[in-house]
Amino acid sequence: MNMGSLRREPVWWRDETIYQIYPRSYQDCDADGVGDLPGILARLPYIAELGVDCFWLSPIFASPMDDFGYDVADYRSIDPLFGTMDDFDALLNAAHSHGLKLVLDFVPNHTSDRHEWFRESRGSRTNAKRNWYIWKDPAPDGGPPNNWISNFGGSAWEFDERTGQYYYHAFLASQPDLNWRNPEVRSAMFDVLRFWLDKGVDGFRVDVIWHLIKDAEFRDNPPNPEYRPGQPEIEKNLQVHSADQPEIHDLVAQMRDVIEEYDNRLMIGEIYLPLERMVRYYGESGESGVHLPFNFQLLQCQWEPKKIAGLVKEYEAALPEGGWPNWVLSNHDQPRIAARAGARQAGIAAMLLLTLRGTPTLYYGDEIGLAEVDIPPDRIQDPWARQEPDASFNRDKARTPMQWSSKENAGFSGTQPWLPLSQDWRERNVAQLDEQPGSLLRLYKRLLAFRKNEPALRDGAYREIHVGETMFAYERVLDKERLLVLLNFSDDPVAAPPLPDSYRGGTVVFSSEEVDNPPEQDAAAITLRPGAGVIVRGGENRS
Ligand code: NOJ
């Protein structure tokens, strides 16, 4: 079967825009400094008005919060920090009433060590759940069974005195990996998916999906010849045997089958792999894999037109038949786009995200231009940053509270938030930016609305038109509709490059600069201001 044919309709996630919410940082309603579900409920009108269609919540399940919810102690309950199951049901209903879809974060690779399954598993070598996790005897010297390194630094093996074996954890020692080769684990976890699908959630973002299956023989990983001191410790070895094993694709296909038991649900995979391996997660003809393997290339690319144009070209070429593209500018694990590209470029970054071919995922706070927030050493929360203070980026910087207004604590909370606000929060907040013509927030809103009315932006083919040191231009073409996107990456004004014939006499239909009653501009004569972008309509419907 092909995604473009049989399973095609209705595929809402091809047309719609996803908004990632980090629940701890969105809106606090019970004044404990941490965001919660009632907070998100209260902000639904904002989310709907922003113009996104679907929101994905980072984990909200019962958890000791060692990795802020990516350490789940019970997959079927809501952590009290975020609220109750009634709060969740209310949020889901209200989201749907607002025409919004809700996607949950499924964390299948590991549980918390406080999960009942792990408590049982570690109880004895003969416990019925022993084989639900990955237990190995020590190496002959008593050390760990192999050289695998945790993603958060240090050995990925933890010795458990009680039973004299090591268990494997790809992340924190308190996040033991489940053994997905065990059919009982599969069945229990697929039932977790059904539990939420039965409630009516619209899909899942699946955490570290490429990690689920490990080498059957647990062979050592080879050293990485390119490792340089200062890089995270995990980079010392190449992850040849610890992740992305051939058998993963059968497992993903099984997971997809569970999703397909329900109508219109979405499965996104979190995958940090080189392009050619990442696209394999679409599965056969896009039918047996995840619908959207997250495309993180813009997250890791230098902010230069040639680099970006190059990666768009490579990505478009690598997509398998039936594979629908997607783009991500920021997330809770990486430096935000306004920090990477600079505040002046945040507008064209938004234009890029929302005009390239594919489903865009927007990260909360990017719409107000949140950049890297300074975290004083005594307020560092990120367990990775604590474990590897010198090597890695502190993820807290991209997880700071949403800034809603100039009121106390930026309207986020009635008390000091769990992470600091940005220095400029009195000006950089939703209430202020909403009133400011030309603000980034208003640009996002205009863009999202524009995208909704332009089938060519959603479905049109992508074609590169011009790439220079400062300018990137591409078109999106659908039947007779043609839109040309021109982005100025420099801090100087730049004249538009010579335009293809199909845009002669075309006019500017969208500009990153907000102007009341814009004069009709002939596309050929445009000069773009520093960091500005425009969209020109060409083809037969030029003006
Ligand atoms: C990926 C998540 O995005 C990250 O935040 C988390 O720490 C790891 N998976 C472990 O679950």
Side-chain angles (χ1 to χ4, degrees):
M1 280 197 290
N2 179 308
M3 216 158 58
S5 56
L6 284 181
R7 278 182 180 169
R8 169 88 186 258
E9 74 299 341
V11 277
W12 56 270
W13 44 266
R14 289 171 52 129
D15 288 341
E16 302 196 352
T17 303
I18 302 171
Y19 182 58
Q20 180 189 356
I21 293 180
Y22 196 67
R24 291 183 72 85
S25 289
Y26 206 59
Q27 175 69 63
D28 174 20
C29 266
D30 60 359
D32 61 357
V34 174
D36 43 44
L37 297 182
I40 298 170
L41 178 73
R43 293 300 181 183
L44 284 182
Y46 166 80
I47 299 168
E49 199 196 300
L50 179 60
V52 296
D53 310 282
C54 169
F55 60 95
W56 146 40
L57 299 179
S58 283
I60 51 173
F61 316 106
S63 163
M65 302 288 164
D66 290 356
D67 191 19
F68 298 115
Y70 285 96
D71 47 329
V72 180
D74 179 359
Y75 289 99
R76 295 172 191 234
S77 70
I78 302 294
D79 195 277
L81 192 63
F82 295 126
T84 62
M85 193 58 91
D86 285 346
D87 291 330
F88 176 77
D89 293 340
L91 177 62
L92 181 59
N93 278 333
H96 287 165
S97 311
H98 277 85
L100 294 165
K101 302 200 172 57
L102 194 165
V103 164
L104 286 178
D105 211 314
F106 182 49
V107 188
N109 181 66
H110 42 268
T111 68
S112 159
D113 61 354
R114 251 83 30 110
H115 195 292
E116 187 192 309
W117 298 339
F118 189 69
R119 289 180 197 268
E120 288 183 38
S121 184
R122 79 186 327 178
S124 76
R125 288 196 186 203
T126 54
N127 185 278
K129 295 243 167 24
R130 186 67 171 179
N131 199 27
W132 282 44
Y133 291 84
I134 298 169
W135 292 97
K136 294 278 170 219
D137 286 332
D141 67 356
N146 68 18
N147 72 352
W148 294 2
I149 297 170
S150 152
N151 281 271
F152 291 159
S155 169
W157 296 94
E158 184 76 1
F159 187 65
D160 201 46
E161 295 281 349
R162 199 166 356 163
T163 55
Q165 285 190 311
Y166 283 87
Y167 65 86
Y168 175 67
H169 57 91
F171 295 88
L172 295 174
S174 61
Q175 293 170 296
D177 277 44
L178 280 163
N179 174 14
W180 275 89
R181 291 185 186 266
N182 182 343
E184 289 177 23
V185 168
R186 292 189 186 202
S187 148
M189 289 296 272
F190 293 163
D191 281 347
V192 168
L193 290 175
R194 293 188 185 101
F195 172 81
W196 294 103
L197 291 164
D198 284 339
K199 277 190 176 284
V201 303
D202 298 285
F204 297 95
R205 171 264 191 193
V206 185
D207 192 62
V208 295
I209 198 167
W210 83 107
H211 268 270
L212 297 186
I213 299 285
K214 298 61 161 131
D215 178 39
E217 293 166 43
F218 287 85
R219 285 168 286 183
D220 276 352
N221 278 326
N224 174 6
E226 279 163 28
Y227 177 77
R228 298 283 167 273
Q231 286 182 281
E233 208 186 329
I234 180 78
E235 310 280 348
K236 280 186 178 161
N237 291 334
L238 298 170
Q239 311 302 305
V240 173
H241 300 301
S242 47
D244 195 32
Q245 300 302 290
E247 303 95 312
I248 182 65
H249 298 289
D250 290 337
L251 169 56
V252 175
Q254 285 182 9
M255 217 179 259
R256 170 73 178 265
D257 284 344
V258 176
I259 301 288
E260 294 294 340
E261 290 168 16
Y262 298 77
D263 285 339
N264 304 330
R265 311 301 166 98
L266 167 66
M267 179 159 68
I268 307 172
E270 185 206 20
I271 301 160
Y272 286 94
L273 282 175
L275 189 53
E276 63 288 359
R277 281 158 67 195
M278 183 264 277
V279 294
R280 290 196 57 208
Y281 285 75
Y282 280 107
E284 296 290 317
S285 315
E287 281 303 310
S288 59
V290 297
H291 297 112
L292 302 175
F294 259 150
N295 168 19
F296 293 137
Q297 292 186 93
L298 285 178
L299 273 176
Q300 293 161 331
C301 177
Q302 277 170 284
W303 195 248
E304 287 170 20
K306 287 187 176 168
K307 296 256 164 55
I308 293 174
L311 74 82
V312 177
K313 193 181 276 174
E314 280 172 32
Y315 179 64
E316 284 276 349
L319 286 169
E321 207 212 318
W324 182 251
N326 75 91
W327 296 96
V328 178
L329 270 185
S330 299
N331 67 26
H332 64 291
D333 291 327
Q334 307 286 339
R336 281 184 180 272
I337 183 65
R340 300 193 322 269
R344 288 185 85 167
Q345 302 280 312
I348 58 165
M351 289 189 68
L352 193 67
L353 177 70
L354 293 166
T355 61
L356 283 174
R357 193 173 79 91
T359 302
T361 299
L362 163 62
Y363 185 46
Y364 89 95
D366 273 7
E367 74 270 34
I368 56 169
L370 273 181
E372 254 183 33
V373 176
D374 272 341
I375 313 289
D378 61 336
R379 291 194 66 185
I380 294 178
Q381 306 281 336
D382 176 13
W384 184 10
R386 286 180 177 204
Q387 216 156 281
E388 285 195 87
D390 302 330
S392 53
F393 162 73
N394 174 1
R395 298 180 300 171
D396 295 337
K397 294 182 179 193
R399 297 175 173 180
T400 60
M402 184 63 173
Q403 300 173 176
W404 295 103
S405 69
S406 309
K407 297 193 186 127
E408 197 192 7
N409 301 314
F412 166 71
S413 173
T415 191
Q416 191 195 49
W418 74 292
L419 283 174
L421 302 167
S422 74
Q423 298 255 316
D424 58 355
W425 67 269
R426 285 186 185 78
E427 300 83 48
R428 189 176 297 286
N429 60 61
V430 170
Q432 295 273 319
L433 298 185
D434 235 354
E435 296 299 314
Q436 238 173 64
S439 73
L440 186 62
L441 178 59
R442 288 170 65 136
L443 171 59
Y444 264 102
K445 286 186 175 176
R446 288 188 302 119
L447 256 174
L448 284 156
F450 184 76
R451 189 176 190 279
K452 279 207 170 103
N453 290 323
E454 294 292 342
L457 281 188
R458 300 194 310 270
D459 283 335
Y462 164 88
R463 194 160 68 99
E464 182 185 301
I465 296 293
H466 169 91
V467 194
E469 296 301 327
T470 53
M471 180 77 80
F472 179 23
Y474 50 91
E475 67 173 350
R476 301 291 313 281
V477 184
L478 182 70
D479 303 324
K480 292 179 177 162
E481 290 289 332
R482 303 187 97 87
L483 291 173
L484 175 72
V485 181
L486 291 156
L487 306 175
N488 176 5
F489 279 70
S490 80
D491 289 337
D492 298 307
V494 174
L499 301 183
D501 283 352
S502 40
Y503 294 95
R504 294 253 164 80
T507 53
V508 174
V509 286
F510 186 93
S511 169
S512 60
E513 295 181 55
E514 188 181 341
V515 196
D516 285 336
N517 307 318
E520 239 184 49
Q521 280 189 78
D522 178 355
I526 304 171
T527 292
L528 283 98
R529 293 217 207 139
V534 296
I535 303 177
V536 175
R537 193 183 306 284
E540 291 187 1
N541 309 318
R542 250 159 245 212
S543 46

PDB file of all heavy atoms in Angstrom, residues 61-62 89 143 150 152 176-177 249 278 321 345 355 407 416 418 452 479 518:
ATOM      1  N   PHE A  61       2.976  11.789  32.321  1.00  0.00           N
ATOM      2  CA  PHE A  61       2.603  10.588  33.081  1.00  0.00           C
ATOM      3  C   PHE A  61       3.319  10.548  34.432  1.00  0.00           C
ATOM      4  O   PHE A  61       4.313  11.247  34.634  1.00  0.00           O
ATOM      5  CB  PHE A  61       2.962   9.339  32.261  1.00  0.00           C
ATOM      6  CG  PHE A  61       2.563   9.478  30.822  1.00  0.00           C
ATOM      7  CD1 PHE A  61       3.503   9.690  29.831  1.00  0.00           C
ATOM      8  CD2 PHE A  61       1.216   9.469  30.473  1.00  0.00           C
ATOM      9  CE1 PHE A  61       3.132   9.862  28.505  1.00  0.00           C
ATOM     10  CE2 PHE A  61       0.825   9.644  29.150  1.00  0.00           C
ATOM     11  CZ  PHE A  61       1.789   9.839  28.171  1.00  0.00           C
ATOM     12  N   ALA A  62       2.800   9.680  35.317  1.00  0.00           N
ATOM     13  CA  ALA A  62       3.384   9.548  36.653  1.00  0.00           C
ATOM     14  C   ALA A  62       4.878   9.281  36.544  1.00  0.00           C
ATOM     15  O   ALA A  62       5.304   8.392  35.791  1.00  0.00           O
ATOM     16  CB  ALA A  62       2.696   8.410  37.399  1.00  0.00           C
ATOM     17  N   ASP A  89      -8.785  14.471  30.660  1.00  0.00           N
ATOM     18  CA  ASP A  89      -9.987  14.260  29.831  1.00  0.00           C
ATOM     19  C   ASP A  89     -10.600  15.604  29.432  1.00  0.00           C
ATOM     20  O   ASP A  89     -11.036  15.792  28.295  1.00  0.00           O
ATOM     21  CB  ASP A  89     -11.007  13.395  30.587  1.00  0.00           C
ATOM     22  CG  ASP A  89     -10.496  11.965  30.784  1.00  0.00           C
ATOM     23  OD1 ASP A  89      -9.587  11.552  30.037  1.00  0.00           O
ATOM     24  OD2 ASP A  89     -10.993  11.267  31.698  1.00  0.00           O
ATOM     25  N   GLY A 143      33.499  -6.193  35.701  1.00  0.00           N
ATOM     26  CA  GLY A 143      33.027  -4.903  35.176  1.00  0.00           C
ATOM     27  C   GLY A 143      31.768  -5.056  34.336  1.00  0.00           C
ATOM     28  O   GLY A 143      31.195  -6.151  34.240  1.00  0.00           O
ATOM     29  N   SER A 150      26.242   5.487  28.276  1.00  0.00           N
ATOM     30  CA  SER A 150      24.924   6.120  28.403  1.00  0.00           C
ATOM     31  C   SER A 150      24.905   7.425  27.616  1.00  0.00           C
ATOM     32  O   SER A 150      25.925   8.138  27.541  1.00  0.00           O
ATOM     33  CB  SER A 150      24.632   6.397  29.875  1.00  0.00           C
ATOM     34  OG  SER A 150      23.775   7.497  29.989  1.00  0.00           O
ATOM     35  N   PHE A 152      23.764   9.995  28.574  1.00  0.00           N
ATOM     36  CA  PHE A 152      24.014  11.086  29.522  1.00  0.00           C
ATOM     37  C   PHE A 152      25.391  10.943  30.186  1.00  0.00           C
ATOM     38  O   PHE A 152      25.664  11.545  31.214  1.00  0.00           O
ATOM     39  CB  PHE A 152      22.917  11.114  30.592  1.00  0.00           C
ATOM     40  CG  PHE A 152      21.555  11.542  30.067  1.00  0.00           C
ATOM     41  CD1 PHE A 152      20.400  11.204  30.763  1.00  0.00           C
ATOM     42  CD2 PHE A 152      21.429  12.297  28.908  1.00  0.00           C
ATOM     43  CE1 PHE A 152      19.142  11.606  30.299  1.00  0.00           C
ATOM     44  CE2 PHE A 152      20.177  12.701  28.433  1.00  0.00           C
ATOM     45  CZ  PHE A 152      19.028  12.355  29.130  1.00  0.00           C
ATOM     46  N   PRO A 176      15.896   2.357  33.371  1.00  0.00           N
ATOM     47  CA  PRO A 176      16.279   1.061  32.776  1.00  0.00           C
ATOM     48  C   PRO A 176      15.571   0.805  31.447  1.00  0.00           C
ATOM     49  O   PRO A 176      14.378   1.083  31.308  1.00  0.00           O
ATOM     50  CB  PRO A 176      15.823   0.049  33.835  1.00  0.00           C
ATOM     51  CG  PRO A 176      14.759   0.752  34.627  1.00  0.00           C
ATOM     52  CD  PRO A 176      15.136   2.204  34.627  1.00  0.00           C
ATOM     53  N   ASP A 177      16.327   0.274  30.486  1.00  0.00           N
ATOM     54  CA  ASP A 177      15.734  -0.008  29.167  1.00  0.00           C
ATOM     55  C   ASP A 177      14.862  -1.253  29.227  1.00  0.00           C
ATOM     56  O   ASP A 177      15.252  -2.277  29.809  1.00  0.00           O
ATOM     57  CB  ASP A 177      16.839  -0.255  28.126  1.00  0.00           C
ATOM     58  CG  ASP A 177      17.383   1.045  27.568  1.00  0.00           C
ATOM     59  OD1 ASP A 177      17.624   1.968  28.371  1.00  0.00           O
ATOM     60  OD2 ASP A 177      17.569   1.130  26.333  1.00  0.00           O
ATOM     61  N   HIS A 249      12.769  -2.370  12.419  1.00  0.00           N
ATOM     62  CA  HIS A 249      11.717  -2.017  11.465  1.00  0.00           C
ATOM     63  C   HIS A 249      10.492  -2.932  11.578  1.00  0.00           C
ATOM     64  O   HIS A 249       9.375  -2.495  11.345  1.00  0.00           O
ATOM     65  CB  HIS A 249      12.297  -1.934  10.049  1.00  0.00           C
ATOM     66  CG  HIS A 249      13.346  -0.857   9.963  1.00  0.00           C
ATOM     67  ND1 HIS A 249      13.024   0.486  10.011  1.00  0.00           N
ATOM     68  CD2 HIS A 249      14.703  -0.917   9.940  1.00  0.00           C
ATOM     69  CE1 HIS A 249      14.147   1.205   9.980  1.00  0.00           C
ATOM     70  NE2 HIS A 249      15.168   0.374   9.938  1.00  0.00           N
ATOM     71  N   MET A 278      17.697   7.459   8.628  1.00  0.00           N
ATOM     72  CA  MET A 278      16.476   8.032   9.195  1.00  0.00           C
ATOM     73  C   MET A 278      15.261   7.747   8.299  1.00  0.00           C
ATOM     74  O   MET A 278      14.203   7.336   8.778  1.00  0.00           O
ATOM     75  CB  MET A 278      16.692   9.538   9.386  1.00  0.00           C
ATOM     76  CG  MET A 278      15.550  10.253  10.039  1.00  0.00           C
ATOM     77  SD  MET A 278      14.488  10.976   8.813  1.00  0.00           S
ATOM     78  CE  MET A 278      15.342  12.501   8.472  1.00  0.00           C
ATOM     79  N   GLU A 321       9.290   6.847  -1.717  1.00  0.00           N
ATOM     80  CA  GLU A 321       7.955   7.014  -2.280  1.00  0.00           C
ATOM     81  C   GLU A 321       6.926   6.888  -1.167  1.00  0.00           C
ATOM     82  O   GLU A 321       7.020   5.996  -0.325  1.00  0.00           O
ATOM     83  CB  GLU A 321       7.726   5.904  -3.317  1.00  0.00           C
ATOM     84  CG  GLU A 321       6.746   6.291  -4.373  1.00  0.00           C
ATOM     85  CD  GLU A 321       5.966   5.083  -4.848  1.00  0.00           C
ATOM     86  OE1 GLU A 321       6.595   4.028  -5.019  1.00  0.00           O
ATOM     87  OE2 GLU A 321       4.746   5.219  -5.016  1.00  0.00           O
ATOM     88  N   GLN A 345      17.143  36.950  12.658  1.00  0.00           N
ATOM     89  CA  GLN A 345      16.813  35.953  11.637  1.00  0.00           C
ATOM     90  C   GLN A 345      15.595  35.111  12.024  1.00  0.00           C
ATOM     91  O   GLN A 345      15.207  34.209  11.287  1.00  0.00           O
ATOM     92  CB  GLN A 345      18.010  35.008  11.458  1.00  0.00           C
ATOM     93  CG  GLN A 345      19.290  35.710  11.063  1.00  0.00           C
ATOM     94  CD  GLN A 345      19.331  36.024   9.587  1.00  0.00           C
ATOM     95  OE1 GLN A 345      19.057  35.166   8.774  1.00  0.00           O
ATOM     96  NE2 GLN A 345      19.647  37.249   9.250  1.00  0.00           N
ATOM     97  N   THR A 355       7.041  27.362   5.120  1.00  0.00           N
ATOM     98  CA  THR A 355       6.854  27.359   3.662  1.00  0.00           C
ATOM     99  C   THR A 355       7.611  26.239   2.948  1.00  0.00           C
ATOM    100  O   THR A 355       7.435  26.050   1.747  1.00  0.00           O
ATOM    101  CB  THR A 355       7.272  28.702   3.019  1.00  0.00           C
ATOM    102  OG1 THR A 355       8.653  28.921   3.275  1.00  0.00           O
ATOM    103  CG2 THR A 355       6.454  29.864   3.549  1.00  0.00           C
ATOM    104  N   LYS A 407       3.130  40.980  33.677  1.00  0.00           N
ATOM    105  CA  LYS A 407       2.785  40.848  35.099  1.00  0.00           C
ATOM    106  C   LYS A 407       3.791  39.939  35.804  1.00  0.00           C
ATOM    107  O   LYS A 407       4.661  39.359  35.165  1.00  0.00           O
ATOM    108  CB  LYS A 407       1.383  40.280  35.216  1.00  0.00           C
ATOM    109  CG  LYS A 407       0.338  41.198  34.628  1.00  0.00           C
ATOM    110  CD  LYS A 407      -1.048  40.764  35.032  1.00  0.00           C
ATOM    111  CE  LYS A 407      -2.063  41.614  34.298  1.00  0.00           C
ATOM    112  NZ  LYS A 407      -3.036  40.820  33.584  1.00  0.00           N
ATOM    113  N   GLN A 416       7.741  31.758  42.058  1.00  0.00           N
ATOM    114  CA  GLN A 416       8.956  31.705  41.239  1.00  0.00           C
ATOM    115  C   GLN A 416       8.938  30.444  40.351  1.00  0.00           C
ATOM    116  O   GLN A 416       8.783  29.336  40.865  1.00  0.00           O
ATOM    117  CB  GLN A 416      10.195  31.662  42.132  1.00  0.00           C
ATOM    118  CG  GLN A 416      11.445  31.879  41.305  1.00  0.00           C
ATOM    119  CD  GLN A 416      12.724  31.502  42.050  1.00  0.00           C
ATOM    120  OE1 GLN A 416      12.846  30.434  42.629  1.00  0.00           O
ATOM    121  NE2 GLN A 416      13.665  32.413  42.023  1.00  0.00           N
ATOM    122  N   TRP A 418      10.066  27.264  37.982  1.00  0.00           N
ATOM    123  CA  TRP A 418      11.108  26.238  38.191  1.00  0.00           C
ATOM    124  C   TRP A 418      12.396  26.555  37.448  1.00  0.00           C
ATOM    125  O   TRP A 418      13.472  26.152  37.871  1.00  0.00           O
ATOM    126  CB  TRP A 418      10.584  24.855  37.815  1.00  0.00           C
ATOM    127  CG  TRP A 418      10.443  24.596  36.333  1.00  0.00           C
ATOM    128  CD1 TRP A 418       9.560  25.183  35.478  1.00  0.00           C
ATOM    129  CD2 TRP A 418      11.218  23.680  35.545  1.00  0.00           C
ATOM    130  NE1 TRP A 418       9.734  24.696  34.207  1.00  0.00           N
ATOM    131  CE2 TRP A 418      10.731  23.757  34.217  1.00  0.00           C
ATOM    132  CE3 TRP A 418      12.252  22.784  35.815  1.00  0.00           C
ATOM    133  CZ2 TRP A 418      11.258  22.997  33.172  1.00  0.00           C
ATOM    134  CZ3 TRP A 418      12.778  22.022  34.776  1.00  0.00           C
ATOM    135  CH2 TRP A 418      12.291  22.136  33.480  1.00  0.00           C
ATOM    136  N   LYS A 452      -2.651  28.388   5.673  1.00  0.00           N
ATOM    137  CA  LYS A 452      -3.932  27.663   5.628  1.00  0.00           C
ATOM    138  C   LYS A 452      -4.695  27.914   4.334  1.00  0.00           C
ATOM    139  O   LYS A 452      -5.433  27.066   3.865  1.00  0.00           O
ATOM    140  CB  LYS A 452      -4.828  28.118   6.785  1.00  0.00           C
ATOM    141  CG  LYS A 452      -4.482  27.450   8.072  1.00  0.00           C
ATOM    142  CD  LYS A 452      -5.678  27.370   9.014  1.00  0.00           C
ATOM    143  CE  LYS A 452      -5.292  26.481  10.168  1.00  0.00           C
ATOM    144  NZ  LYS A 452      -4.965  27.178  11.380  1.00  0.00           N
ATOM    145  N   ASP A 479      -0.296  22.742  -9.536  1.00  0.00           N
ATOM    146  CA  ASP A 479      -1.067  23.016 -10.750  1.00  0.00           C
ATOM    147  C   ASP A 479      -0.672  24.400 -11.281  1.00  0.00           C
ATOM    148  O   ASP A 479       0.474  24.636 -11.565  1.00  0.00           O
ATOM    149  CB  ASP A 479      -2.573  22.925 -10.484  1.00  0.00           C
ATOM    150  CG  ASP A 479      -2.939  21.552  -9.921  1.00  0.00           C
ATOM    151  OD1 ASP A 479      -2.311  20.565 -10.360  1.00  0.00           O
ATOM    152  OD2 ASP A 479      -3.802  21.469  -9.043  1.00  0.00           O
ATOM    153  N   PRO A 518      -0.315  47.432   2.226  1.00  0.00           N
ATOM    154  CA  PRO A 518       0.964  47.420   1.510  1.00  0.00           C
ATOM    155  C   PRO A 518       0.783  47.855   0.061  1.00  0.00           C
ATOM    156  O   PRO A 518      -0.207  47.475  -0.573  1.00  0.00           O
ATOM    157  CB  PRO A 518       1.387  45.945   1.574  1.00  0.00           C
ATOM    158  CG  PRO A 518       0.154  45.184   1.926  1.00  0.00           C
ATOM    159  CD  PRO A 518      -0.774  46.116   2.621  1.00  0.00           C
TER     160      PRO A 518
END
